[in-house]
Amino acid sequence: MTPVELSRTVLRAVRCAVDVGELSVAVPASAVVTPPGPGGCGDYATNVALRLAGPAGRPAPEVAEILRPYIARDPAVADVTVTGPGFLNITLAGGALADLVEVVLEQGTRYGYGDTLAGQVVELRVPYDTRAEIVADTLVRIVATQGGRVEVRHLEPVNLRPVPAPEDPAPLGHDAARWALLHPAPHDRPRISADHLVQRESNPLFRVRYAHARTRALRRNAAALGYTRAPFRDVRPAGRSDVPAGADVHTGGPGDARRAGVPLRTAGSTLPGSSSAGADPFLGPTPAGADLLPGSTPAEAGPFVGSAPAEADPLLGPTSAGADLLPGSTPAEADPLVRPTPAEAGPLLGSTPAEAGPLPEPTPAEADLLLALAGYPHALRIAARDRGPDRLARQLVVIADGVLGFQHLVLPLGDEKPSAAHRARLALAEAAGTVLAGGLSLLGISAPEHL
């Protein structure tokens, strides 16, 4: 269940309460669903009871108690708790979060797009300043994901004036310079230093780009072992699979999409108004590897690069750096994460459909990554609404940390054979890589295949 679907569940609960006469209010057009704040619990929280308390003429906790059983009726909801002044905290059933993987793999890098700003034209009046120009350029793409359009003008008075950088960020290179200017909140002073080039855990940009590269390496390593990710209809835990008896569960092509007619990648995935990937009027393109410290070696690349033998990334052939981000690429080139190649679509080694078995409930590491992916659409909406690319950048760091805490579960260890659980985890890793690639593209930063 995605946050959008959960929001609809909350609205249905309000409608049911109104229909039976327990509440006398107008059903709102939307219900905000977000990760729970301090003092909350569960997977998501909503303040709909607080919003309805005034019109209903009742205390918010009482309104929340009325809505609680209606929300709990949804089979994807495991528990609903009322906390604080009347927040409804919702815990999803084990398989509900895993449905997100199917959604992400179907929508590809367009996951999180919506219509919050549909038809709106946002005028950004910016000064002649490097950081302001880059923030405005990024907002053109972010606002477009929510159906809006940005017009950038150099007029007074300005309405977008982020704190300027203390020095020229160009020596950092294209990717690191953009991250240095976009990751801090607009009202914060950006830090321009070589720390953005260091391949260490302390560098958020390195963690995000490395996590993306790890998802690609996991897919290549799984292909070397002779299996690919679970198809769309087989990514959910036990008890929630809709695979018919005797069906072939080992193909991962586009035809496996549960919702027929939803493309893996749409032809219009290039955002209107966006410039060519990697183009930057201030910083300019830089050669590959510009983000690396001169003279650095793999041994200096930090704890993430020194992966264990079972997770090692054999060189299975060079790929084009940043292939996901090329606006002129063909569908076959657009995203190998989302569309597996024929060589990788082979059967699971040593298994038949009957041997694949049910998928286990998500581990804590999987659940953390699923929650991070579920929060991505909300972060994208907030970034577009508040004109803050930093909100998107921070969410990418959360997803990357989830990937790096989960990656050791994806591949079989030792003599262990690939199982349905490994295939489902590989699907989750690919979904995370797709979201990271899409988010980095919106920020104008490349997502490397190898790092």
Side-chain angles (χ1 to χ4, degrees):
M1 174 179 285
T2 67
V4 172
E5 292 169 338
L6 184 56
S7 176
R8 293 175 185 149
T9 296
V10 173
L11 290 178
R12 281 197 299 270
V14 175
R15 192 172 296 110
C16 289
V18 170
D19 289 344
V20 300
E22 292 190 74
L23 288 177
S24 179
V25 295
V27 179
S30 63
V32 177
V33 174
T34 63
C41 60
D43 300 318
Y44 293 100
T46 178
N47 65 349
V48 67
L50 283 79
R51 292 173 54 194
L52 298 178
R58 298 187 180 190
E62 184 178 334
V63 176
E65 287 293 345
I66 291 173
L67 297 177
R68 187 173 66 83
Y70 292 105
I71 297 175
R73 287 179 182 177
D74 193 308
V77 174
D79 186 38
V80 182
T81 305
V82 180
T83 62
F87 289 101
L88 285 157
N89 292 257
I90 303 168
T91 301
L92 299 182
L97 280 176
D99 286 341
L100 277 173
V101 178
E102 179 178 352
V103 174
V104 175
L105 292 176
E106 286 180 355
Q107 297 180 1
T109 53
R110 295 183 66 85
Y111 170 66
Y113 287 26
D115 56 1
T116 304
L117 302 177
Q120 296 187 29
V121 178
V122 179
E123 183 182 57
L124 296 181
R125 299 188 297 274
V126 302
Y128 288 98
D129 171 74
T130 300
R131 189 183 186 198
E133 294 279 3
I134 290 179
V135 170
D137 170 72
T138 304
L139 287 174
V140 169
R141 291 185 290 273
I142 292 178
V143 170
T145 68
Q146 305 305 310
R149 182 167 61 86
V150 171
E151 293 182 354
V152 181
R153 304 180 186 277
H154 295 88
L155 298 174
E156 294 288 344
V158 300
N159 61 5
L160 181 68
R161 191 193 292 273
V163 175
E167 57 187 282
D168 182 11
L172 294 179
H174 178 271
D175 290 335
R178 289 188 73 95
W179 182 268
L181 298 178
L182 296 173
H183 181 250
H187 58 269
D188 289 337
R189 182 187 179 99
R191 178 175 50 84
I192 308 300
S193 71
D195 291 344
H196 295 291
L197 302 175
V198 176
Q199 293 191 352
R200 292 286 190 274
E201 184 179 358
S202 58
N203 180 3
L205 173 61
F206 170 70
R207 297 209 304 273
V208 172
R209 299 176 82 228
Y210 180 73
H212 173 266
R214 281 301 299 155
T215 63
R216 298 299 179 114
L218 289 170
R219 193 177 74 83
R220 291 192 297 270
N221 292 342
L225 293 175
Y227 74 99
T228 185
R229 65 165 170 81
F232 294 151
R233 60 191 175 187
D234 195 28
V235 298
R236 287 167 290 172
R240 296 189 60 81
S241 176
D242 57 359
V243 181
D248 179 8
V249 297
H250 302 302
T251 57
D256 290 326
R258 181 177 63 178
R259 287 177 279 277
V262 180
L264 293 177
R265 295 207 24 139
T266 60
S269 55
T270 301
L271 296 176
S274 62
S275 58
S276 300
D280 194 307
F282 294 93
L283 304 177
T286 58
D291 285 352
L292 306 182
L293 283 176
S296 62
T297 64
E300 300 169 349
F304 292 141
V305 176
S307 56
E311 300 168 357
D313 181 14
L315 297 178
L316 302 178
T319 57
S320 300
D324 296 9
L325 310 176
L326 296 176
S329 59
T330 63
E333 301 166 345
D335 196 340
L337 259 182
V338 180
R339 191 185 300 274
T341 60
E344 298 166 348
L348 183 64
L349 281 183
S351 69
T352 64
E355 296 171 349
L359 301 180
E361 291 295 316
T363 64
E366 290 175 86
D368 289 345
L369 179 53
L370 286 163
L371 284 174
L373 293 177
Y376 178 80
H378 177 69
L380 203 53
R381 286 193 297 272
I382 296 300
R385 185 195 69 188
D386 297 345
R387 319 293 188 254
D390 62 294
R391 186 65 181 84
L392 171 59
R394 291 199 302 272
Q395 187 65 26
L396 293 181
V397 175
V398 173
I399 295 172
D401 289 343
V403 170
L404 297 173
F406 155 78
Q407 59 171 336
H408 65 283
L409 301 174
V410 176
L411 298 177
L413 298 177
D415 295 332
E416 186 181 9
K417 290 185 177 181
S419 66
H422 292 116
R423 295 168 63 243
R425 291 166 185 163
L426 181 61
L428 173 57
E430 293 187 6
T434 299
V435 174
L436 290 173
L440 287 171
S441 177
L442 292 175
L443 297 177
I445 297 173
S446 65
E449 297 272 344
H450 301 270
L451 190 61

